[in-house]
Amino acid sequence: GAGVSQTPSNKVTEKGKYVELRCDPISGHTALYWYRQSLGQGPEFLIYFQGTGAADDSGLPNDRFFAVRPEGSVSTLKIQRTERGDSAVYLCASSSYRGLATGELFFGEGSRLTVL
Amino acid sequence: RKEVEQDPGPFNVPEGATVAFNCTYSNSASQSFFWYRQDCRKEPKLLMSVYSSGNEDGRFTAQLNRASQYISLLIRDSKLSDSATYLCVVGYGQNFVFGPGTRLSVLP
């Protein structure tokens, strides 16, 4: 499809395990964001890429979280030593340069992470 | 204090009602303002941008008061299909901060 694609849609893991979440943005979109959303809350900013580089990673909660975008397209969010508090929906969004001016972020359907 | 705060809700209103949502933000350097809509278990989608002069899109009217750091969204003639969570979003540079959202249920 033409939208933002996220995989897996659901991931159940055990405390202490390593998890990777993938985001495939809209073709040609240079800006890519990761947010996470807990039940009843708004999306919480994690990290923003412009091209291949992380322009702002101030939202990553601690050093267990890391994200890459090596070729400026697909991005992977990596979580080490998962904790129960990491359980949330992880949302990826992309935007074009023009879209950023209008505030239009296109979100994927999210990856729901459950840490048991 | 959170960067973006919204009415806690939920708002339960009958069809045809007018409903207003309020939002305040703490970062005076904020440059851009938006309302997003999020349906249950779906991704957020841009509803409308908010301009200082106020702007309208059909039944939806958005207002911004920079001096008070306050944003509002008014929905007239509510439809069942308006039921959703409305997220206030504040941008500075290319960083976008989302509020917690206010849930609206329009009842038949």
Side-chain angles (χ1 to χ4, degrees), chain A residues 33 35 37 41-43 48 50 56 100 102-105 107-108 112, chain B residues 2 34 36 38 41 43-44 46 49 87 94-100:
Chain A
Y33 296 77
Y35 287 82
Q37 187 171 27
Q41 302 296 316
Y48 156 61
Q50 183 60 256
D56 184 352
L100 286 177
T102 61
E104 185 151 30
L105 304 181
F107 282 86
R112 182 176 299 276
Chain B
K2 292 187 177 178
F34 312 93
Y36 271 67
Q38 186 172 25
R41 292 188 169 264
E43 71 275 20
L46 179 66
S49 300
L87 299 159
Q94 293 172 346
N95 193 341
F96 298 92
V97 180
F98 284 72

Side-chain angles (χ1 to χ4, degrees), chain B residues 11-77:
Chain B
F11 283 43
N12 299 313
V13 302
E15 268 187 290
T18 295
V19 60
F21 301 132
N22 300 313
C23 170
T24 57
Y25 60 95
S26 60
N27 187 344
S28 58
S30 299
Q31 302 160 321
S32 54
F33 310 89
F34 312 93
W35 285 100
Y36 271 67
R37 170 192 169 128
Q38 186 172 25
D39 292 313
C40 189
R41 292 188 169 264
K42 295 288 189 181
E43 71 275 20
K45 293 183 180 178
L46 179 66
L47 177 66
M48 59 195 301
S49 300
V50 188
Y51 304 117
S52 297
S53 54
N55 49 297
E56 191 173 302
D57 182 0
R59 297 179 294 106
F60 299 82
T61 300
Q63 297 277 357
L64 167 65
N65 184 321
R66 284 185 184 267
S68 302
Q69 296 181 195
Y70 167 87
I71 307 161
S72 66
L73 177 68
L74 184 78
I75 305 176
R76 291 182 300 279
D77 189 23

Side-chain angles (χ1 to χ4, degrees), chain A residues 21-65:
Chain A
L21 306 176
R22 175 189 166 108
C23 173
D24 202 338
I26 292 172
S27 177
H29 279 189
T30 56
L32 186 146
Y33 296 77
W34 282 100
Y35 287 82
R36 72 175 174 181
Q37 187 171 27
S38 300
L39 193 63
Q41 302 296 316
E44 173 194 6
F45 170 76
L46 296 177
I47 187 169
Y48 156 61
F49 288 90
Q50 183 60 256
T52 60
D56 184 352
D57 64 358
S58 62
L60 295 177
N62 52 58
D63 62 6
R64 296 187 298 105
F65 288 74

